Amino acid sequence: MKLGGIPRRSADQLAAMRRAGRVVAEMHERTRAALRPGITTAELDRIGRQVLSRRGATSNFLGVNGTYPAVICASPNEVVVHGIPGDRVLADGDIISVDCGAIVDGWHGDAAYTAGVGTISAGAQRLIKVTERSLDAAIATMVPGGHLGDIGHAVQTVVEGAGLCVVDGYTGHGIGQAMHEAPAVPNVGESGRGPRLRAGNVLAVEPMVAVGTPETDVLDDDWTVVTLDGTWAAHAEHTIAVTDAGPEILTRV
């Protein structure tokens, strides 16, 4: 069912999306627990594959656009999103965004976190915390009768209020029987604008925040997005359902 251009999910569909979300949450839990100096991003991908296999889920990342080779995105330091796992060895003081997805019974979950490796600087800690706070602020707006623009406005207010910047050109998205569905969910916006939110809407909200310039570049692999000035960035994401009882985070245990 659609209203205002945003699909509304039935109780049975939301139940399936909760199951997919729990798999994503476990991928987060397992990869986060493995973070340490010396681990490679390929090892994190192997952990994600193990969770999917154990849970009988499939990956919504693997094979995207016919080319993406992994089940997670692993994006260290200046990499904003879409980092391909490989032989990159994580060092003490690095940060890394780990983005995971899963399909269960044809329904999708998608979420990301950024965490430190070993002991990280105060500035890196602050970058991660501001990004998480901006996501929390956005989620709090996701109530029936709210507007799509409220989400981006909340992200932008927190990020810019902290003296950081929202990365240009990348947004959250609707999610359901495909990982990326309408509508786009910008990380900037004007409150009170855009389609109204209704119970049953499900959106993946994902602030991407940089220390320096909001501008980015894509590397020659056609996937890896980096900050143009080489400063560090963080990424946080959850799949959230709008309900009459308030927002429900489907990708959190």
Side-chain angles (χ1 to χ4, degrees):
M1 177 180 177
K2 291 187 177 181
L3 186 62
I6 306 177
R8 298 176 70 181
R9 308 305 181 188
S10 70
D12 286 347
Q13 291 168 344
L14 287 173
M17 294 192 76
R18 288 187 190 99
R19 292 193 290 273
R22 284 195 291 269
V23 175
V24 174
E26 184 174 344
M27 294 172 78
H28 279 198
E29 180 182 30
R30 300 295 184 185
T31 55
R32 189 187 288 267
L35 287 177
R36 64 182 188 280
I39 195 169
T40 67
T41 53
E43 289 176 271
L44 297 176
D45 187 67
R46 281 195 289 273
I47 292 168
R49 290 172 189 261
Q50 290 167 359
V51 173
L52 290 168
S53 177
R54 185 167 60 251
R55 294 298 183 183
T58 55
S59 173
N60 44 13
F61 287 20
L62 185 65
V64 167
N65 294 340
T67 63
Y68 195 75
V71 303
I72 70 168
C73 297
S75 304
N77 301 341
E78 77 286 354
V79 182
V80 181
V81 286
H82 304 163
I84 298 174
D87 58 5
R88 171 79 175 257
V89 178
L90 299 180
D92 186 65
D94 284 345
I95 64 172
I96 185 169
S97 164
V98 179
D99 194 353
C100 303
I103 308 169
V104 175
D105 298 329
W107 293 88
H108 291 243
D110 183 16
Y113 68 88
T114 301
V117 180
T119 303
I120 64 174
S121 70
Q125 292 175 12
R126 183 172 182 271
L127 171 62
I128 293 170
K129 291 299 183 185
V130 169
T131 305
E132 292 173 343
R133 286 207 315 269
S134 73
L135 177 57
D136 289 342
I139 292 170
T141 72
M142 296 179 64
V143 295
H147 290 264
L148 188 66
D150 299 343
I151 296 170
H153 179 75
V155 171
Q156 185 177 11
T157 298
V158 171
V159 172
E160 294 181 354
L164 302 175
C165 64
V166 175
V167 171
D168 284 345
Y170 293 89
T171 71
H173 49 90
I175 185 169
Q177 290 183 292
M179 180 167 58
H180 295 122
E181 297 185 352
V185 184
N187 291 315
V188 298
E190 187 176 343
S191 62
R193 300 296 296 272
R196 284 194 177 273
L197 303 179
R198 296 289 186 264
N201 295 156
V202 183
L203 302 172
V205 179
E206 49 179 322
M208 285 157 267
V209 179
V211 172
T213 177
E215 298 170 319
T216 62
D217 194 14
V218 179
L219 300 186
D220 290 343
D221 61 19
D222 292 327
W223 281 106
T224 305
V225 179
V226 297
T227 58
L228 192 62
D229 62 0
T231 55
W232 287 12
H235 175 208
E237 178 184 17
H238 274 302
T239 297
I240 306 108
V242 179
T243 80
D244 288 325
E248 180 186 353
I249 300 173
L250 304 181
T251 43
R252 177 182 289 168
V253 175

